[in-house]
Amino acid sequence: MATILEIEDLSVHFPINIGTVQAVQDVNLRLEQGEVMGLVGESGCGKSTLGFSIVRLLRPPGKIVKGRILYHGQDIVQMSQKEILSLRGRKIAMIFQDPLTSLNPLFRIDRQFIETLFTHERGLDKKTAFRRAEKMLESLGISPERLSEYPHQMSGGMRQRIMIGMGLILNSDLLIADEPTTALDVIVEAQFLDLLNDLRRQYNLTIILITHNLGNVAQLADRITVMYGGTIAEVGQANTIFEDPLHPYTQGLLSSIPNIKLDQPKLKTMPGSPPDLVDPPSGCVFHPRCPYDKEICRVQKPETFTEDGRLVSCWLYG
Ligand code: SF4
């Protein structure tokens, strides 16, 4: 498989009045064409910041202070505003929790599709653009008649599908989905994940699924990246991570999922709370919560080790 995205030593900081939030620190990640990567971790672990960095949509004062993001070998960090505008939406699409805030409430869906096409494909005539919008809606399982409707007339699931369609109509090959099912009920959520799976096969789409919902990841992802405190804790095939998590944080995360098959009077939880990223703990950022921490963990950042073909940042494997 060809590599579509390679992130090298990426650090993203947010200078604020009490210091600097080290939201993403020295992250390395590689994605192959056509795979689904689940990016998981607690709120504030840096997973959404990483997604926004890839499309250069960081809100000020956030900035990339170090590293490279190579998309088909081209460094997104070094791109001019003009270059990034032609890439964003056209080759890399991003969908968010609430699609209603991403669609223009004043315009019908057909106009939003057509304007997207006109912005990126100069010289296209309106009739062809409309036909392509109709076809796209059909492949998303929505009747083309609904092109004449406004976003508020559609359900949350339909709006989310429309947002994906806006990316796919321009032949994007990388989709970043940031908590895409949070606003959906469980039935629509399951349908939406099935659709993502179909689209990924149909278009050889690479997907980064950012979520705290491990059920979504289990259903869709080929590989999983677990983030903690702005760093990567573990990367591996989804089934092996679920069966045999290596990093103590991943182990804690998975054991805190309720299991109706077990007689558990009390749900397992992880002690402590996520780190303060203005003043992160020394050494391993997880050490104040880790049941296995040792001397070296408190003073030295763990290196990334390869264990059974997986990557894990923990001194237990050094
Ligand atoms: Fe725990 Fe040490 Fe591993 Fe960090 S490096 S997860 S503190 S054992």
Side-chain angles (χ1 to χ4, degrees):
M1 269 192 291
T3 300
I4 180 168
L5 191 79
E6 210 168 351
I7 299 174
E8 292 175 353
D9 289 329
L10 188 77
S11 294
V12 181
H13 290 178
F14 289 76
I16 53 173
N17 53 3
I18 54 159
T20 297
V21 180
Q22 297 169 37
V24 170
Q25 201 60 35
D26 301 319
V27 160
N28 288 287
L29 200 63
R30 177 194 284 254
L31 258 96
E32 307 300 332
Q33 184 94 48
E35 77 169 335
V36 179
M37 171 71 84
L39 199 53
V40 302
E42 291 164 301
S43 298
C45 70
K47 53 191 190 307
S48 291
T49 303
L50 188 59
F52 283 110
S53 304
I54 296 169
V55 284
R56 293 256 308 267
L57 272 179
L58 285 169
R59 288 228 177 111
K63 59 178 177 201
I64 295 171
V65 293
K66 185 165 75 78
R68 304 201 298 167
I69 302 171
L70 302 173
Y71 167 76
H72 289 293
Q74 279 185 296
D75 190 1
I76 290 176
V77 177
Q78 298 301 330
M79 283 183 183
S80 66
Q81 203 53 30
K82 198 177 164 200
E83 286 170 321
I84 193 71
L85 279 176
S86 76
L87 194 76
R88 192 191 298 143
R90 181 155 185 223
K91 301 308 288 176
I92 306 177
M94 188 161 184
I95 56 171
F96 306 94
Q97 271 185 30
D98 183 3
L100 195 55
T101 55
S102 309
L103 291 163
N104 191 326
L106 301 176
F107 296 149
R108 292 179 358 177
I109 299 298
D110 52 1
R111 179 163 173 190
Q112 302 199 43
F113 266 109
I114 289 166
E115 285 198 353
T116 302
L117 281 165
F118 282 177
T119 306
H120 293 279
E121 293 185 22
R122 298 277 154 87
L124 197 72
D125 65 277
K126 202 172 171 185
K127 209 170 163 188
T128 312
F130 189 79
R131 286 238 177 84
R132 276 174 64 182
E134 279 185 323
K135 266 190 157 177
M136 180 47 68
L137 237 62
E138 264 173 21
S139 74
L140 295 167
I142 301 174
S143 165
E145 286 167 17
R146 304 204 66 164
L147 274 174
S148 59
E149 293 184 5
Y150 289 87
H152 74 269
Q153 294 174 286
M154 301 193 148
S155 67
M158 274 184 195
R159 287 195 288 259
Q160 202 57 291
R161 282 188 266 169
I162 297 281
M163 282 312 299
I164 294 181
M166 296 270 183
L168 294 183
I169 205 163
L170 295 164
N171 301 319
S172 299
D173 60 0
L174 175 61
L175 173 73
I176 302 170
D178 187 11
E179 304 277 7
T181 60
T182 306
L184 308 180
D185 66 54
V186 281
I187 294 171
V188 180
E189 180 182 31
Q191 291 167 345
F192 179 75
L193 292 174
D194 282 346
L195 176 79
L196 271 188
N197 216 359
D198 290 345
L199 293 174
R200 162 245 185 137
R201 291 208 179 90
Q202 202 177 330
Y203 295 92
N204 195 25
L205 195 61
T206 309
I207 301 175
I208 300 177
L209 179 66
I210 300 170
T211 181
H212 60 268
N213 186 331
L214 291 163
N216 287 352
V217 173
Q219 201 173 328
L220 201 63
D222 301 307
R223 285 195 302 147
I224 295 178
T225 297
V226 182
M227 286 191 75
Y228 183 80
T231 63
I232 289 188
E234 184 169 358
V235 184
Q237 292 296 323
N239 54 349
T240 51
I241 285 201
F242 275 103
E243 278 163 25
D244 178 27
L246 295 177
H247 196 282
Y249 173 64
T250 318
Q251 291 167 1
L253 205 61
L254 292 175
S255 64
S256 59
I257 300 173
N259 187 340
I260 53 168
K261 290 182 189 152
L262 294 179
D263 181 20
Q264 274 180 309
K266 230 177 163 189
L267 192 61
K268 276 197 181 172
T269 55
M270 245 185 284
S273 41
D276 172 5
L277 294 181
V278 173
D279 185 18
S282 59
C284 171
V285 75
F286 186 57
H287 88 254
R289 302 172 78 183
C290 182
Y292 310 108
D293 81 312
K294 39 189 189 175
E295 193 55 44
I296 190 172
C297 305
R298 288 166 224 163
V299 290
Q300 208 174 323
K301 272 189 185 168
E303 289 168 22
T304 302
F305 302 101
T306 306
E307 181 82 10
D308 299 331
R310 293 149 69 181
L311 301 177
V312 57
S313 301
C314 172
W315 286 121
L316 292 178
Y317 304 92

